[in-house]
Amino acid sequence: MKNLIELTAQAAAFADKYSMLPQGGSVLCALSGGTDSMALLAVLEVLAKEREFTLHAAHFNHQLRGEESQRDENFVTDWCQKRGINLVVGRGDVAKEAQEQGKGVEETARIMRYAFLTETARALEIDKIATAHNADDNAETILLHLARGTGLDGLTGIPPVRGILIRPLLDTPRVDIEECLTQSGIPHVEDSSNQNNIYARNRLRQEVMPVMRELNPAFVSTLSANLSHLREDRDLLHNMAEKITKQAQVAEGRVIIPVRTLVGLAHPVAVRVVKQMLAKIDRFEIASVHLEQILALAAGSSPSATINLPDGLFAWREYDKLVLCPSTAMPNGFSLRLLTGPGVFALDNGWAIEVKETLCPEIPAQGDYEWHIDQETVTFPLVLRARQAGDQLRLPGRRAKTLKKWYIDEKIPRQRRENLPVLADEAGLLAAAGLGPNYPRLATPGQPALFIRLIPKNKPEERNETR
């Protein structure tokens, strides 16, 4: 039978294996009042003295069980007061939030609870948040993953450490925790919803886990021991992928990687590269079928293919690059803008344009975003707009072509084209952003000219070489 000293030693060894506990720092214990969290608090009390860290506790009242929820809150409040432990209490109407968000109660409760814990840790400048997940929780999670379909990541179960979250009891069977509380005389409260079989985890706990123990009485301990080997395999693949992912670039909320970097990788590594890329734009959950679609896009022959994925995620090819992008970071098209004369004008997509009267220098600007236009050929107002079908452009030293043809020949990605305006007056195009000026409208040295400069969003320093 486990006592508190033995349980603490077991938890400490597991915590040290994953560098969980901050020497001289602070830990926030998620405290529901149930068996597991009360054991965790007791363990952390002992370790706080040994390791010299400050211990806090946090309780979130989900307001799902009426008087019972209030009972739990009162219980942990009284216990922490007696023990001299600083307790922060939060409350939320989980049922109402779940209905408004159209999500399940369990999922909503988890989201709200972790948001509260994270905010509390931030406000108190706490280093780590400890939750009371144990080895049985981990076994149940793995079985749920298997039932729903999973890969190696799912087979490793609940991570011992994720960011500032730590789980010191993850290697400890529930029976050891219960024995410790009994022997140590540590009280706890029971959550009546744990007996409700409408929740998948409860049904698995009450109906499946007993069968697994019949087949192998040491099922939970055996699984925990095997998990260390699975985590080693997973970490090896993760590290291999991480070396590749370093080649990805994040710009304006999008993540980009050369296609050749992905093509030819072993499939388990390629999948992890895509997942790591998505994590760079805060997308951590994606189905395997959509990962496969992204890899197929990278390996495909179409240089401008696009796929729309769930939750507002887009993936597309920019010739030899793969781009992953949430809808919030999609390129913005241009709304029509009239320029009545010289000046600097802000545009509604974050760009700006400068129009200045000057004399054309010896070498006129002929770049992608800067031009010297013959002032005598210009009639105000100028129109800054999106491209239109049939727009013709003759770049200096080259023959006239439609903008569509120019974009294809210059390998300007399809998604970027809508973000590149053209400048025109009543006589036709003056210039096209990303390509250059219309040669017949270009000023010659010494002529009165309009110096026109487009300033892309977040790139006020951008200058382009003349062609």
Side-chain angles (χ1 to χ4, degrees):
M1 181 175 285
K2 291 275 186 181
N3 58 36
L4 183 56
I5 294 175
E6 292 170 329
L7 190 71
T8 300
Q10 182 177 351
F14 187 71
D16 290 342
K17 182 178 180 179
Y18 293 96
S19 303
M20 293 185 189
L21 300 174
Q23 188 80 23
S26 53
V27 176
L28 180 68
C29 177
L31 186 64
S32 68
T35 306
D36 301 333
S37 69
M38 290 299 290
L40 176 63
L41 185 68
V43 165
L44 290 175
E45 277 191 89
V46 176
L47 292 176
K49 295 175 183 177
E50 294 179 0
R51 307 293 180 91
E52 298 181 345
F53 61 80
T54 303
L55 178 62
H56 302 262
H59 175 81
F60 187 73
N61 186 337
H62 300 90
Q63 300 180 3
L64 287 170
R65 293 175 284 117
E67 293 182 2
E68 190 177 290
S69 291
Q70 189 59 48
R71 177 210 65 183
D72 295 352
E73 180 182 323
N74 294 342
F75 169 76
V76 297
T77 300
D78 292 343
W79 181 259
C80 288
Q81 285 178 347
K82 292 175 183 176
R83 308 294 292 181
I85 299 170
N86 175 49
L87 174 71
V88 180
V89 174
R91 300 177 186 86
D93 191 338
V94 171
K96 180 180 178 182
E97 183 69 16
Q99 185 175 19
E100 290 178 353
Q101 297 294 327
K103 295 180 178 179
V105 171
E106 280 187 295
E107 180 187 4
T108 304
R110 180 181 60 81
I111 292 170
M112 293 177 69
R113 181 170 62 253
Y114 277 103
F116 161 69
L117 292 171
T118 302
E119 176 57 28
T120 301
R122 186 200 63 77
L124 297 179
E125 297 182 343
I126 288 172
D127 300 302
K128 302 290 182 179
I129 300 171
T131 66
H133 294 89
N134 59 49
D136 287 64
D137 293 324
N138 212 6
E140 293 158 8
T141 297
I142 292 168
L143 290 175
L144 284 171
H145 287 169
L146 279 170
R148 295 165 178 166
T150 189
L152 183 55
D153 288 346
L155 290 176
T156 58
I158 303 169
V161 176
R162 176 176 284 171
I164 66 170
L165 286 171
I166 61 173
R167 297 172 172 116
L169 298 182
L170 194 61
D171 205 37
T172 304
R174 184 174 290 124
V175 65
D176 289 352
I177 293 171
E178 293 170 346
E179 288 176 354
C180 174
L181 290 195
T182 300
Q183 185 167 334
S184 304
I186 298 172
H188 68 280
V189 289
E190 294 288 348
D191 183 343
S192 61
S193 67
N194 286 338
Q195 305 304 315
N196 192 334
N197 274 5
I198 66 168
Y199 300 122
R201 183 177 290 272
N202 288 351
R203 187 175 180 190
L204 188 146
R205 180 177 299 168
Q206 294 164 26
E207 299 178 9
V208 177
M209 290 295 286
V211 175
M212 302 304 293
R213 290 191 181 93
E214 285 180 13
L215 296 172
N216 178 6
F219 169 67
V220 171
S221 298
T222 302
L223 184 60
S224 292
N226 289 334
L227 284 180
S228 63
H229 302 302
L230 287 174
R231 290 188 186 116
E232 288 176 358
D233 293 346
R234 178 204 60 193
D235 292 345
L236 174 63
L237 290 169
H238 177 86
N239 293 337
M240 292 173 66
E242 207 166 45
K243 293 177 182 179
I244 305 298
T245 309
K246 288 179 180 178
Q247 300 180 42
Q249 296 180 333
V250 179
E252 298 183 346
R254 301 167 221 152
V255 60
I256 305 164
I257 197 168
V259 168
R260 67 177 182 275
T261 302
L262 278 177
V263 175
L265 287 176
H267 184 264
V269 178
V271 167
R272 282 165 172 78
V273 170
V274 174
K275 292 177 73 173
Q276 290 172 8
M277 288 175 62
L278 290 169
K280 289 179 177 290
I281 51 174
D282 297 324
R283 294 302 180 96
F284 300 98
E285 300 293 336
I286 184 169
S288 59
V289 63
H290 300 130
L291 290 171
E292 297 300 334
Q293 288 175 352
I294 293 171
L295 290 175
L297 177 71
S301 59
S302 174
S304 299
T306 301
I307 54 175
N308 297 350
L309 299 165
D311 299 323
L313 180 66
F314 295 85
W316 68 80
R317 284 279 299 276
E318 289 188 356
Y319 291 92
D320 60 351
K321 296 177 182 178
L322 173 71
V323 183
L324 304 177
C325 173
S327 57
T328 53
M330 286 291 285
N332 294 323
F334 272 86
S335 300
L336 185 142
R337 178 67 187 266
L338 296 179
L339 310 178
T340 57
V344 177
F345 306 88
L347 306 178
D348 60 6
N349 72 335
W351 288 39
I353 186 170
E354 175 187 10
V355 180
K356 181 171 65 175
E357 293 179 334
T358 186
L359 290 178
C360 182
E362 187 66 29
I363 302 178
Q366 302 178 28
D368 293 349
Y369 298 97
E370 295 182 353
W371 319 292
H372 281 97
I373 301 298
D374 183 354
Q375 189 171 359
E376 294 181 358
T377 71
V378 173
T379 302
F380 283 99
L382 306 183
V383 181
L384 194 70
R385 59 169 172 79
R387 65 188 177 104
Q388 296 176 355
D391 278 339
Q392 293 270 338
L393 179 71
R394 180 185 172 194
L395 293 176
R398 305 173 77 172
R399 63 183 180 84
K401 290 186 280 191
T402 64
L403 285 182
K404 180 178 180 179
K405 183 65 174 172
W406 277 118
Y407 290 143
I408 294 172
D409 291 349
E410 296 298 309
K411 290 184 166 53
I412 294 176
R414 181 182 298 169
Q415 288 75 16
R416 187 166 168 244
R417 297 170 195 172
E418 303 309 316
N419 197 33
L420 294 174
V422 298
L423 187 66
D425 65 3
E426 63 181 18
L429 292 193
L430 301 175
L435 291 171
N438 198 6
Y439 179 70
R441 312 297 294 274
L442 192 64
T444 57
Q447 274 189 317
L450 292 177
F451 173 69
I452 300 172
R453 180 168 67 107
L454 265 169
I455 307 169
K457 180 181 179 181
N458 298 329
K459 296 181 181 178
E461 78 289 350
E462 181 160 341
R463 298 291 185 272
N464 285 281
E465 298 295 330
T466 56
R467 290 186 182 273

